[in-house]
Amino acid sequence: MGWQIAIDGPASAGKSTIANALSKHFNFIHLDTGAMYRAITLKALNLKINLTNENEYNFLETTDITFKKEKIFLDGVDVSDKIRSIQVTENVSLVSTFKTVRAKLVKLQREYAANDNIVMDGRDIGTVVLPKANLKIFLDATVEERANRRRLERLEKNSLDISIEDTIKEITERDYKDSNRIISPLKQADDAIRIDTTNLGINQVLHKVIQLAIERGFKMENEKDLLEKKETKQEGEDSKSLSEENTTVSEKNSNSSKLKNLQQVEGVVKEVTKAKQVNDKIIDEKVVFTFENGQEGILSHNDTTVKDSESLFDFFEIGEKYTVVVKKTLPNNKVLVSTRLVEKRKELSKYEEIIQKHETIFAKVIKEIPEGLLLKHDDFSCLLPSSQIDLKSEEFKKIIGEDLEVAPIRLDFTRIRLIVSHNVAKSIKYKANKEVFLNNIKIGDVLDGTVKTIKEYGAFIELEQGIEGLLHISEVAHSHIDINDCLKVGENIKVQVIKIDNNQIGLSRKAILPDMWKEFSETNKVGDIVNVIVSEINKSGVVVKINEEISGFIPKSEFSWERDTYLTDLVKKGDTLDVKIIEIDPLKRRIILSRKKCQDNPWECLNLKQNDSVKGIVTVILKDGIKVNVQGILGYASKRSLGNVSLSNYKVGNEIELIVRVFDKNEMKLILASQMQSDSFTSTSKSTDKEISKVLKEQKKVLNTFGDLADLDKWQK
Ligand code: DC
């Protein structure tokens, strides 16, 4: 077994990025287990199986998943892009709940880890797949931050623009499903180290994990050197994320390379040329610089911050070093330079703090440009790329001239401009609003909300513009309900805050609804009779509604004193019935009812003996015999027991006289025969009679159905 690093965490916490970078750093294998679940989902979608039916996943046995050069192959085909589709993303949480799917993939994942050093990322790596991993990391970030990352990634990868609110919803939903599934839910392993990546750059997280791996004893040749190298490189890169092109600023002018446009460089003043004074303006005054590489630079008055009325002689001394920016390269090996740009660059750094503090600014929209929109803030140009605004390009014109709230996301020191994002500003505002909102609510508060979306597992309730809480299906009502019967999108409802966790709000509707079960069980007891409405008839009995919230069940055996009848012959949906409560358990939400106990037991009133002659009314003519109503109870006479008389001679409603063959109150059995047959029956032998009752006693199942009675006939033959 090699060295194992397990990285778990919710969607878009940065797991794959970090795992990938780590694998490169340490030269480990990287296994993106999420991609494997996605690949299975893709195959299930392609096969058009019923995704909710685990039995239809038998294709797993013949499914092959492999990784080659950071690509994932499903049955030999590269599906690296296809597994990122919206359809796969929407269904992968469902597919990954199935035991068969997980068993297949966990086995495969462990096989990968058997011999090599590995970094594996997913949801259950530290808890299930690699419980003995040398290092376990749980990466997390606020849902807003993760949604923002997911959104930008999509925009970049496939220009798919899904609003930040919808992305937050999508991530919340996935978090919920991944953390609440029964098998291997997303959970931080007890021995995992949690890193909140909300305000960290990739390199900062990577650095932390590398250090942790080393602390845990991972040794690699020259690892220390590598780490040091990384650290230096990282410092550069961390600042790069803020001022990517700042590297040109510190670029040293080497002897060999020619100066480039916008390069910042140090030059020595060679001379300051004579000037003319026209009115109170000094014109044609220039400073000539020489640079280390031998090139010359010319700085004109206009390109400095020196006032028009003042002379450059007073600001530049021959032989002294000054920092300038190359404005233009000229064909004669000379360059035009500017010190004004150096100042502007310094001024631009004031936005660094704004970026770090995640603040926003209002900038005026000036015009549309090919990359997006050009804005102005305090004399600085701001580029708002099309991907960073929640508007279609046709609509850009509408906001020209307006002040738009944007968040600076990067500083372009070369061109001295800010790169801003309208989307990030929205998410910052959303986060701030949510923070204020969360600070103002507490568990137990009852709030007004609007049903925004309904899912199979619950509903999202908007509590304030853009701020939603989750009303889980188990919190909608006191009893089991169909969520679509209870809630409608757009409906205003009252909800109680029952959970505030990691900026997520859990709500309950039932907590503020009267508990009808409690009320019912306080006012009703076993033996009471209630009036109910039939809502469903199934094989085992009848489901009835006692009131809007409470349903009860009448088992088939409790429906009627008559045996062997079809429930559907006796009752239909919507019928009202009087029924007796025979069991009540408000905690289990269970009420068992009896209809037959509301009626007298006709068997109790009847006293018959074998060979009694009885009169009865033919009620049903069956294939193998007839049913006869004898003083309110149904008896059965088989075709054979009726002798040679054809069944067609019997008519429903006719009165006939028969002989009792079997009468058993406890078993509720009345078996009849015609006079003639009964004679032969009694005369055949006493032992036959005995044998019938023996079988009745010994085999409880005997004579339970009319089919059994037919068997009795056979047995007698
Ligand atoms: O990391 P990702 O978004 O690509 O993962 C896709 C889904 O796969 C995720 O919603 C849950 C599931 N998954 C899992 O159940 N167990 C893992 N080890 C990895 C992913």
Side-chain angles (χ1 to χ4, degrees):
M1 200 170 69
W3 229 80
Q4 299 176 341
I5 303 182
I7 303 192
D8 290 300
S12 294
K15 301 180 299 293
S16 290
T17 315
I18 294 301
N20 194 23
L22 265 182
S23 71
K24 291 204 172 109
H25 177 90
F26 286 138
N27 200 17
F28 277 23
I29 293 179
H30 168 211
L31 201 69
D32 174 357
T33 61
M36 298 169 93
Y37 287 93
R38 285 171 179 272
I40 297 292
T41 309
L42 177 68
K43 184 154 178 183
L45 286 167
N46 288 346
L47 292 174
K48 298 201 172 22
I49 65 159
N50 173 2
L51 293 185
T52 58
N53 183 358
E54 190 166 7
N55 295 331
E56 295 192 27
Y57 285 77
N58 44 16
F59 66 86
L60 287 171
E61 288 158 27
T62 52
T63 300
D64 179 48
I65 295 179
T66 44
F67 288 87
K68 264 179 242 152
K69 294 191 181 150
E70 298 184 28
K71 300 263 177 213
I72 179 164
F73 291 80
L74 173 66
D75 299 329
V77 179
D78 177 2
V79 289
S80 315
D81 292 332
K82 287 206 176 111
I83 58 163
R84 306 281 160 202
S85 72
I86 293 274
Q87 216 197 354
V88 170
T89 304
E90 273 175 0
N91 290 294
V92 62
S93 289
L94 165 69
V95 174
S96 57
T97 55
F98 295 120
K99 202 171 165 187
T100 35
V101 175
R102 302 205 74 82
K104 156 108 188 169
L105 293 187
V106 169
K107 182 167 173 275
L108 203 61
Q109 289 154 10
R110 288 187 181 145
E111 279 166 12
Y112 266 102
N115 303 315
D116 287 295
N117 291 343
I118 196 160
V119 187
M120 216 186 273
D121 70 284
R123 305 289 190 285
D124 59 343
I125 312 304
T127 49
V128 176
V129 185
L130 305 176
K132 296 201 174 121
N134 304 69
L135 175 63
K136 295 181 189 176
I137 302 288
F138 191 86
L139 287 188
D140 206 353
T142 61
V143 67
E144 293 81 13
E145 173 66 23
R146 290 187 285 123
N148 203 33
R149 287 178 195 167
R150 171 57 49 103
R151 189 161 180 267
L152 295 180
E153 184 189 327
R154 276 199 187 129
L155 277 167
E156 261 168 38
K157 278 202 180 139
N158 40 21
S159 316
L160 193 64
D161 194 359
I162 295 175
S163 74
I164 188 74
E165 290 82 3
D166 284 348
T167 318
I168 288 177
K169 213 180 274 177
E170 175 199 316
I171 296 230
T172 311
E173 210 175 288
R174 207 128 75 79
D175 284 356
Y176 182 82
K177 286 186 185 163
D178 292 345
S179 318
N180 289 282
R181 66 170 175 240
I182 296 169
I183 315 168
S184 314
L186 162 67
K187 204 169 121 220
Q188 180 176 342
D190 293 339
D191 50 349
I193 293 162
R194 185 174 179 278
I195 301 180
D196 184 344
T197 68
T198 309
N199 295 314
L200 299 180
I202 296 169
N203 283 320
Q204 286 166 299
V205 180
L206 183 62
H207 189 63
K208 267 191 192 198
V209 183
I210 291 172
Q211 269 181 329
L212 284 166
I214 292 166
E215 277 166 23
R216 294 286 167 103
F218 180 69
K219 285 199 183 61
M220 186 169 129
E221 229 182 308
N222 297 331
E223 175 54 35
K224 206 165 153 279
D225 298 350
L226 249 164
L227 190 66
E228 273 164 14
K229 245 198 312 190
K230 266 254 128 75
E231 267 173 39
T232 348
K233 190 161 164 239
Q234 185 205 330
E235 275 161 23
E237 277 176 13
D238 281 349
S239 57
K240 189 171 159 190
S241 65
L242 296 177
S243 51
E244 204 175 283
E245 275 130 302
N246 214 10
T247 39
T248 51
V249 173
S250 54
E251 217 173 273
K252 291 273 175 273
N253 39 330
S254 78
N255 284 331
S256 54
S257 62
K258 284 205 161 192
L259 294 173
K260 291 190 218 79
N261 275 343
L262 297 173
Q263 184 174 338
Q264 190 161 306
V265 62
E266 283 190 339
V268 177
V269 175
K270 186 175 157 198
E271 63 172 300
V272 183
T273 61
K274 284 251 165 10
K276 284 186 215 153
Q277 178 118 23
V278 178
N279 301 328
D280 58 349
K281 267 192 179 175
I282 295 174
I283 57 169
D284 274 357
E285 196 179 34
K286 288 191 179 64
V287 182
V288 181
F289 288 91
T290 53
F291 301 106
E292 264 185 30
N293 67 353
Q295 283 187 268
E296 261 190 12
I298 297 154
L299 171 72
S300 57
H301 204 127
N302 287 343
D303 288 318
T304 66
T305 46
V306 177
K307 283 191 196 140
D308 285 351
S309 54
E310 292 172 332
S311 167
L312 295 182
F313 274 100
D314 300 327
F315 293 87
F316 292 91
E317 269 188 43
I318 295 172
E320 283 298 307
K321 263 191 189 168
Y322 295 86
T323 305
V324 296
V325 168
V326 177
K327 244 184 84 178
K328 197 170 175 197
T329 52
L330 301 173
N332 54 5
N333 207 26
K334 291 193 173 163
V335 291
L336 298 183
V337 297
S338 164
T339 52
R340 179 189 288 279
L341 287 180
V342 177
E343 291 308 313
K344 286 285 268 181
R345 280 183 175 174
K346 275 192 203 141
E347 250 184 79
L348 187 65
S349 338
K350 73 178 180 193
Y351 291 98
E352 270 171 3
E353 202 182 335
I354 296 186
I355 295 177
Q356 258 158 20
K357 288 188 174 164
H358 296 277
E359 287 173 352
T360 60
I361 54 172
F362 282 90
K364 197 180 196 85
V365 183
I366 305 297
K367 61 173 180 181
E368 201 180 335
I369 51 172
E371 304 100 297
L373 286 167
L374 188 74
L375 286 70
K376 194 122 200 137
H377 184 261
D378 276 1
D379 244 15
F380 285 101
S381 292
C382 311
L383 167 67
L384 173 56
S386 324
S387 64
Q388 294 293 327
I389 179 162
D390 239 353
L391 280 180
K392 297 204 174 71
S393 49
E394 307 89 82
E395 296 170 321
F396 284 1
K397 285 188 181 60
K398 286 190 198 155
I399 54 167
I400 291 176
E402 277 182 24
D403 277 340
L404 192 67
E405 188 166 10
V406 289
I409 51 173
R410 198 160 63 80
L411 302 179
D412 179 349
F413 283 95
T414 312
R415 298 198 209 162
I416 314 183
R417 62 179 185 173
L418 296 110
I419 315 297
V420 295
S421 165
H422 181 236
N423 297 332
V424 172
K426 272 176 79 176
S427 108
I428 290 174
K429 271 186 67 180
Y430 172 82
K431 211 171 133 190
N433 286 348
K434 193 157 181 188
E435 252 168 47
V436 173
F437 186 81
L438 289 175
N439 283 338
N440 285 328
I441 60 165
K442 57 184 182 321
I443 289 174
D445 283 357
V446 175
L447 309 173
D448 286 311
T450 310
V451 180
K452 279 301 261 194
T453 17
I454 298 180
K455 302 276 174 185
E456 76 274 17
Y457 58 86
F460 284 95
I461 312 296
E462 188 172 58
L463 303 167
E464 206 179 88
Q465 213 197 348
I467 298 174
E468 293 178 10
L470 176 66
L471 173 62
H472 187 255
I473 189 158
S474 61
E475 291 296 333
V476 178
H478 287 290
S479 53
H480 187 70
I481 44 111
D482 179 343
I483 191 158
N484 288 301
D485 287 346
C486 271
L487 301 173
K488 296 275 163 281
V489 169
E491 183 189 354
N492 293 326
I493 58 167
K494 283 208 182 299
V495 280
Q496 185 166 48
V497 179
I498 54 166
K499 194 168 158 193
I500 305 174
D501 187 11
N502 198 12
N503 284 0
Q504 317 263 33
I505 308 166
L507 303 168
S508 173
R509 174 173 169 266
K510 78 172 184 195
I512 46 175
L513 290 179
D515 184 350
M516 291 214 192
W517 279 89
K518 197 163 163 269
E519 279 175 19
F520 184 83
S521 62
E522 279 164 9
T523 48
N524 292 275
K525 57 185 184 319
V526 169
D528 284 357
I529 293 186
V530 285
N531 189 262
V532 297
I533 301 173
V534 174
S535 54
E536 188 191 319
I537 303 159
N538 59 39
K539 269 210 308 242
S540 28
V542 178
V543 182
V544 293
K545 251 187 172 330
I546 295 173
N547 60 36
E548 207 189 303
E549 284 243 330
I550 304 178
S551 289
F553 184 65
I554 312 172
K556 189 174 175 197
S557 60
E558 286 298 329
F559 198 82
S560 161
W561 290 112
E562 285 175 29
R563 297 180 65 249
D564 307 312
T565 45
Y566 291 106
L567 284 173
T568 43
D569 289 343
L570 303 176
V571 66
K572 59 183 186 315
K573 215 171 153 180
D575 281 357
T576 55
L577 306 170
D578 278 338
V579 287
K580 191 174 260 183
I581 301 172
I582 55 174
E583 191 187 322
I584 181 163
D585 186 340
L587 293 178
K588 287 193 188 144
R589 308 293 193 209
R590 188 179 139 101
I591 295 185
I592 307 294
L593 304 157
S594 171
R595 176 175 170 267
K596 77 178 187 188
K597 293 212 168 77
C598 287
Q599 299 159 350
D600 288 334
N601 180 352
W603 293 89
E604 290 300 330
C605 315
L606 206 59
N607 276 316
L608 295 174
K609 293 188 302 303
Q610 193 180 6
N611 294 333
D612 277 0
S613 170
V614 289
K615 282 187 180 160
I617 307 287
V618 178
T619 52
V620 189
I621 301 174
L622 303 155
K623 219 167 59 208
D624 298 322
I626 57 174
K627 279 197 205 180
V628 181
N629 185 331
V630 178
Q631 295 172 43
I633 63 170
L634 277 187
Y636 174 73
S638 71
K639 191 173 162 187
R640 206 181 111 75
S641 73
L642 292 171
N644 296 329
V645 186
S646 156
L647 285 182
S648 59
N649 288 336
Y650 293 93
K651 298 270 170 295
V652 170
N654 280 3
E655 189 182 62
I656 57 169
E657 190 159 353
L658 296 166
I659 295 296
V660 175
R661 269 170 56 181
V662 179
F663 178 72
D664 186 330
K665 271 188 188 186
N666 295 333
E667 293 285 329
M668 291 192 287
K669 285 187 182 75
L670 173 59
I671 302 166
L672 304 161
S674 71
Q675 181 68 50
M676 199 175 60
Q677 285 301 106
S678 182
D679 288 347
S680 69
F681 174 72
T682 36
S683 62
T684 339
S685 76
K686 278 246 164 95
S687 64
T688 315
D689 191 15
K690 271 189 196 150
E691 279 176 56
I692 292 178
S693 47
K694 190 175 158 213
V695 171
L696 281 174
K697 268 189 195 155
E698 282 179 5
Q699 299 185 356
K700 280 221 155 146
K701 97 174 231 309
V702 168
L703 299 185
N704 272 339
T705 66
F706 287 115
D708 293 336
L709 290 170
D711 283 348
L712 179 67
D713 270 351
K714 278 184 221 143
W715 174 76
Q716 263 184 252
K717 272 182 203 167

